[in-house]
Amino acid sequence: MKRISVMAFILMAGQTFAQQKLNNSAFMHAPESVATDNNNYYIADIGEGGNPTKKDGNGSIFRMDKKGNGSILAKGLDAPKGAFILHHTLFVADIDKVKGYDIVTGAQLYNVDFAPATAFLNDIAAINDTTLVVSATDVNKLFLVHLSKHPRMEELVYTNPIKGTNGVVYDAHTKKLYVCGFGGDNKPDGQIGYIDMAATEKVFKPLTSRPGYYDGIALTAHNTQLIISDWVAFEKKGILLKLDLASGKVTTLNEEPVAGPADFTLDAAGAAIVPAMLEGNILRYNISK
């Protein structure tokens, strides 16, 4: 019995680190981002065709339960990306607008226009309870959105350009805004680094010399590591990386490649919930190893 139990444990441990498909039906087309309130998953789907900058009105936001069943929370968007929840409001970056929706009713609460400053808003994070930071991939810039009765945006000026500015996450304890880039001119030469938001002069400081098609970025529970997704190529070759902030060491977490690992989130258990954008699936991956 002991030998059987040990073998069963080994098999279960092996399964723990495998990718698990969460959605039980193909109701999505090109999921670019996922956020969670630990009850449901909220998925920003660019829509059929997967064009991230086309104003075609076929983008949607899905609310998916833990059983993998999805229903539409909001529709008629163009190419929603960068799903982020703040105070029961789901914010998404929709080409040249930041839109906010009530996560219960789906009612639209915000519509902040960025045109003509950018046509490719991408990821969203919160600096505090009333301020968002949004990446603009096409112009290699970051913007702040000040939430109030009359929301407004302003450019976050920093030195050292980030090619294809993409994933953003903020550490309120260190005042560091971590950013990764998708690269420029269709080359995987994006960087991973941070901006000290407490400094008078904002400077982007790379954390590693490793280049990539970087998309999503998240901090682990104790803010000691970054998890970053790298497409590697526009096919099923994507990987999840772990960057140790103390040592700078970068390691690959997944064994099975992902088809377009876009803007992911970490759930309460620390698992990565990853949109496989090129195949229309949502994957769960245990990154605790």
Side-chain angles (χ1 to χ4, degrees), residues 103-154:
I103 63 172
V104 176
T105 66
Q108 186 169 348
L109 306 175
Y110 292 91
N111 187 35
V112 185
D113 196 347
F114 283 67
T118 174
F120 198 155
L121 292 174
N122 205 324
D123 197 18
I124 300 176
I127 298 296
N128 53 46
D129 286 345
T130 59
T131 309
L132 303 175
V133 60
V134 189
S135 61
T137 303
D138 58 335
V139 291
N140 308 316
K141 292 183 178 181
L142 295 166
F143 292 91
L144 297 176
V145 178
H146 301 283
L147 302 173
S148 63
K149 185 177 181 180
H150 302 288
R152 62 182 179 86
M153 68 88 164
E154 66 170 318

Side-chain angles (χ1 to χ4, degrees), residues 152-215:
R152 62 182 179 86
M153 68 88 164
E154 66 170 318
E155 182 180 344
L156 174 62
V157 179
Y158 59 92
T159 61
N160 297 1
I162 308 167
K163 294 180 181 179
T165 312
N166 199 331
V168 288
V169 65
Y170 183 66
D171 184 350
H173 298 288
T174 62
K175 310 298 182 184
K176 289 181 178 179
L177 175 65
Y178 293 97
V179 188
C180 64
F182 201 73
D185 299 323
N186 294 316
K187 297 177 181 178
D189 57 357
Q191 294 178 292
I192 306 168
Y194 72 92
I195 297 170
D196 184 354
M197 295 295 286
T200 302
E201 182 181 26
K202 307 294 189 293
V203 179
F204 175 73
K205 299 180 180 180
L207 287 167
T208 174
S209 59
R210 183 192 187 280
Y213 280 131
Y214 298 126
D215 196 319

Side-chain angles (χ1 to χ4, degrees), residues 214-270:
Y214 298 126
D215 196 319
I217 188 170
L219 276 165
T220 54
H222 299 292
N223 296 352
T224 58
Q225 300 168 330
L226 287 172
I227 309 299
I228 309 102
S229 61
D230 181 358
W231 281 49
V232 180
F234 291 87
E235 52 189 287
K236 192 174 181 178
K237 291 187 176 181
I239 57 177
L240 293 178
L241 300 173
K242 177 175 68 177
L243 190 156
D244 185 89
L245 292 173
S247 67
K249 182 181 178 180
V250 178
T251 54
T252 300
L253 294 173
N254 58 315
E255 296 178 0
E256 181 181 351
V258 183
D263 181 39
F264 64 93
T265 190
L266 301 182
D267 67 13

Side-chain angles (χ1 to χ4, degrees), residues 82-93:
F84 185 86
I85 296 174
L86 179 65
H87 302 316
H88 304 289
T89 300
L90 178 73
F91 290 94
V92 295

Side-chain angles (χ1 to χ4, degrees), residues 12-66:
M12 288 188 292
Q15 293 173 352
T16 300
F17 301 124
Q19 292 175 350
Q20 174 192 1
K21 178 183 171 183
L22 294 183
N23 54 301
N24 60 20
S25 62
F27 54 84
M28 293 173 291
H29 292 285
E32 198 283 334
S33 184
V34 58
T36 182
D37 60 0
N38 293 318
N39 293 312
N40 296 289
Y41 302 106
Y42 300 86
I43 304 158
D45 185 3
I46 290 175
E48 189 173 3
N51 192 322
T53 59
K54 186 177 181 180
K55 293 191 174 184
D56 49 20
N58 69 359
S60 303
I61 299 172
F62 291 95
R63 178 167 51 210
M64 187 176 78
D65 62 25
K66 293 295 181 67

